[in-house]
Amino acid sequence: MSTPTKRLIADYVLCCDDDFTIYAPGAIDIQGSKIAWVGPAGEAPPAAPPQTIKLSGVLMPGLVNTHCHTPMTLMRGAGDGLALQAWLEDVMWPREGRMTPEDTRWGMVLGATEMLLAGVTTSCEMYLDEEAVVAGAKQVGSRLVMTPGIVLELRQYASLSARIAEIADYHKAVHDSEGLVTVGIAPHSAYILGVEGCVEVSQAAQERDMLLHIHIGETSSEAAELEEKYGTSVVQVLADHGVFEAQTLSAHSIWLSDQDLDSFAEFNVAVAHCPVSNMKLGSGVARVLDMLKRGITVGLGTDGPGSNNTLDLWEEVKLAPMLARIATADASSLNSQEVLKMATSQGAKAVGLNEVGSLEPGNFADIIHISLDTPSFTPICDTSDLVAHLVWSGGSRDITDVWVAGERVVRDGQCQTVDLDQARHEVQQRAVRLAS
């Protein structure tokens, strides 16, 4: 193996692997885009890389945002106080229908920068204008799981089949498991596409081994018409029609029965849990503990900045266990280790990334540095205090440095790849036009 190109050393290295390994102090050797070695600082390989960076604080994997519509930075705050369907149909979709690809790109640039500054290195995007979304992410230097959206009402496609073929061609051209962009497919929902439409999308996903990313059970009434037609829940309808034969990521997944959860477990459907958005829109509380008991993979998502309204996944890290504990009246529900893995390694698994989300040799060097030089991280008497502080006391304000695939994209709290003032200006001007 070639000599590593850089070594990072810190007071703590939090791996977020299966064993939740913590090295204190720890070191990480990076070779190109991947981790070559990780372990106790005193046991680092003797051949020191040409660049060694010594840091106080914590190194851990970058967070994974498993469900997002990031270009909606252009609609941040619009329609506040409306229920989901009114918010979508009366406010969001009319503006999105007027968006140009350049609007989408700048919305993604601003949002991806916001995420990097918060230590979120990967996002799974469900959105239209996929070329513009990818261009924005590449400009910023973030990792992207692009799942091009299918909402026929918002774009003039010849047919559903034509849109699926377009996405299939895009997957063939852009999907790169060794790069920063992987490509899936995103039927908005069964209540928008219908069951047969979801079946057609699933078949295309299965043929190409693409992630299928879909909204399910966000509100109690969204699929009422479909459920009345078929006489069972939307989850059972989709399961019975073979939709979940594709690798599936279900966003929100709030209004699910025991039978629905059993079907998710049977078909290995992963869940993107979006507690802040669900609370803001009054949608409900997902049964996360029941999911975990069944072995369902659960990651965390912000949803779009129109319904959150930030892209700061640390808010989800804190609120997810709060919701679980208030739902069960049990302070032991969803412990700090579990929720940090949901934000990292489990989130990566949910979006189909096998070499992201934990600090292990062979994985991509997507790493964040967290400063502990704040009152909220004091005291630390042992590593269990550190883990608890990360969930309950920490936040995006403590992120100082970020690496994606070994490249330092945030240094001392400043994004190195984007003129943030220009991005803010572009989004401001375009948002005003879309709102008029």
Side-chain angles (χ1 to χ4, degrees):
M1 178 181 288
S2 301
T3 303
T5 52
K6 61 176 71 75
R7 176 174 292 167
L8 309 181
I9 302 174
D11 296 333
Y12 303 92
V13 171
L14 187 71
C15 295
C16 294
D17 56 356
D18 290 342
D19 297 327
F20 208 80
T21 307
I22 301 175
Y23 300 109
I28 306 169
D29 283 359
I30 300 171
Q31 172 61 46
S33 64
K34 294 193 173 183
I35 296 170
W37 181 89
V38 59
E43 299 177 16
Q51 181 184 19
T52 297
I53 302 172
K54 295 183 178 180
L55 302 157
S56 61
V58 181
L59 292 170
M60 66 174 286
L63 305 192
V64 178
N65 188 346
T66 61
H67 177 66
C68 200
H69 317 283
T70 294
M72 291 175 74
T73 50
L74 291 151
M75 283 78 77
R76 195 193 310 261
D80 187 42
L82 294 177
L84 176 64
Q85 290 308 122
W87 177 80
L88 283 173
E89 295 172 9
D90 299 339
V91 181
M92 293 296 116
W93 287 348
R95 296 190 194 191
E96 286 182 307
R98 294 193 290 270
M99 285 174 62
T100 67
E102 271 297 279
D103 293 335
T104 299
R105 183 176 72 84
W106 278 111
M108 185 65 193
V109 166
L110 182 65
T113 303
E114 178 183 346
M115 284 191 279
L116 281 187
L117 292 171
V120 180
T121 53
T122 299
S123 68
C124 181
E125 301 290 339
M126 177 191 285
Y127 217 68
L128 306 170
D129 293 331
E130 52 272 9
E131 291 184 357
V133 177
V134 169
K138 286 185 174 181
Q139 182 176 341
V140 175
S142 58
R143 189 174 301 281
L144 174 65
V145 180
M146 182 69 235
T147 61
I150 303 177
V151 187
L152 300 182
E153 290 83 352
L154 291 180
R155 290 291 188 275
Q156 295 301 313
Y157 300 110
S159 64
L160 174 60
S161 296
R163 175 59 171 156
I164 292 172
E166 182 177 77
I167 295 170
D169 289 343
Y170 191 73
H171 173 269
K172 184 177 181 180
V174 176
H175 179 84
D176 181 8
S177 60
E178 287 298 311
L180 290 178
V181 180
T182 57
V183 178
I185 192 166
H188 180 276
S189 58
Y191 68 85
I192 291 292
L193 268 72
V195 174
E196 295 307 321
C198 290
V199 169
E200 187 175 349
V201 175
S202 176
Q203 289 171 345
Q206 292 173 58
E207 290 168 3
R208 296 162 182 83
D209 196 25
M210 289 194 290
L211 177 71
L212 189 150
H213 183 188
I214 185 172
H215 296 100
I216 296 178
E218 185 173 3
T219 68
S220 59
S221 59
E222 64 188 28
E225 184 176 333
L226 184 151
E227 291 175 343
E228 182 178 0
K229 175 181 177 181
Y230 287 90
T232 188
S233 74
V234 65
V235 170
Q236 299 311 310
V237 174
L238 295 177
D240 291 344
H241 283 76
V243 172
F244 298 148
E245 296 293 339
Q247 180 187 357
T248 304
L249 172 66
S250 173
H252 304 294
S253 309
I254 299 168
W255 296 93
L256 305 185
S257 67
D258 286 345
Q259 184 183 13
D260 294 337
L261 293 178
D262 290 342
S263 291
F264 270 25
E266 177 184 354
F267 290 99
N268 294 314
V269 175
V271 170
H273 177 39
C274 306
V276 175
S277 175
N278 297 158
M279 293 169 71
K280 182 175 184 285
L281 292 175
S283 300
V285 180
R287 299 171 57 189
V288 172
L289 294 178
D290 291 331
M291 295 174 188
L292 295 176
K293 289 175 182 176
R294 288 168 167 81
I296 296 169
T297 300
V298 181
L300 297 177
T302 59
D303 205 5
S307 63
N308 186 296
N309 289 358
T310 79
L311 295 166
D312 181 356
L313 200 72
W314 290 101
E315 294 186 355
E316 278 69 24
V317 167
K318 186 170 184 175
L319 284 170
M322 283 186 171
L323 278 178
R325 294 177 185 195
I326 200 66
T328 59
D330 181 358
S332 67
S333 298
L334 200 56
N335 65 46
S336 297
Q337 287 190 14
E338 289 175 315
V339 74
L340 285 175
K341 289 173 74 171
M342 287 168 64
T344 54
S345 55
Q346 293 302 293
K349 181 180 178 182
V351 301
L353 298 178
N354 299 320
E355 298 179 341
V356 172
S358 61
L359 302 183
E360 301 178 76
N363 279 6
F364 286 104
D366 295 357
I367 303 167
I368 62 177
H369 173 243
I370 302 170
S371 171
L372 303 181
D373 299 331
T374 63
S376 58
F377 275 105
T378 306
I380 298 175
C381 300
D382 57 38
T383 55
S384 64
D385 292 339
L386 169 66
V387 173
H389 293 342
L390 286 169
V391 172
W392 302 108
S393 308
S396 56
R397 64 186 178 276
D398 303 310
I399 307 300
T400 64
D401 301 270
V402 177
W403 291 261
V404 177
E407 295 294 325
R408 197 175 192 173
V409 290
V410 174
R411 182 191 295 265
D412 298 327
Q414 301 296 315
C415 186
Q416 303 297 292
T417 55
V418 170
D419 183 333
L420 185 55
D421 289 339
Q422 180 189 11
R424 291 179 58 247
H425 173 78
E426 290 284 352
V427 169
Q428 173 66 28
Q429 299 304 309
R430 294 166 188 277
V432 168
R433 188 196 84 242
L434 293 172
S436 62

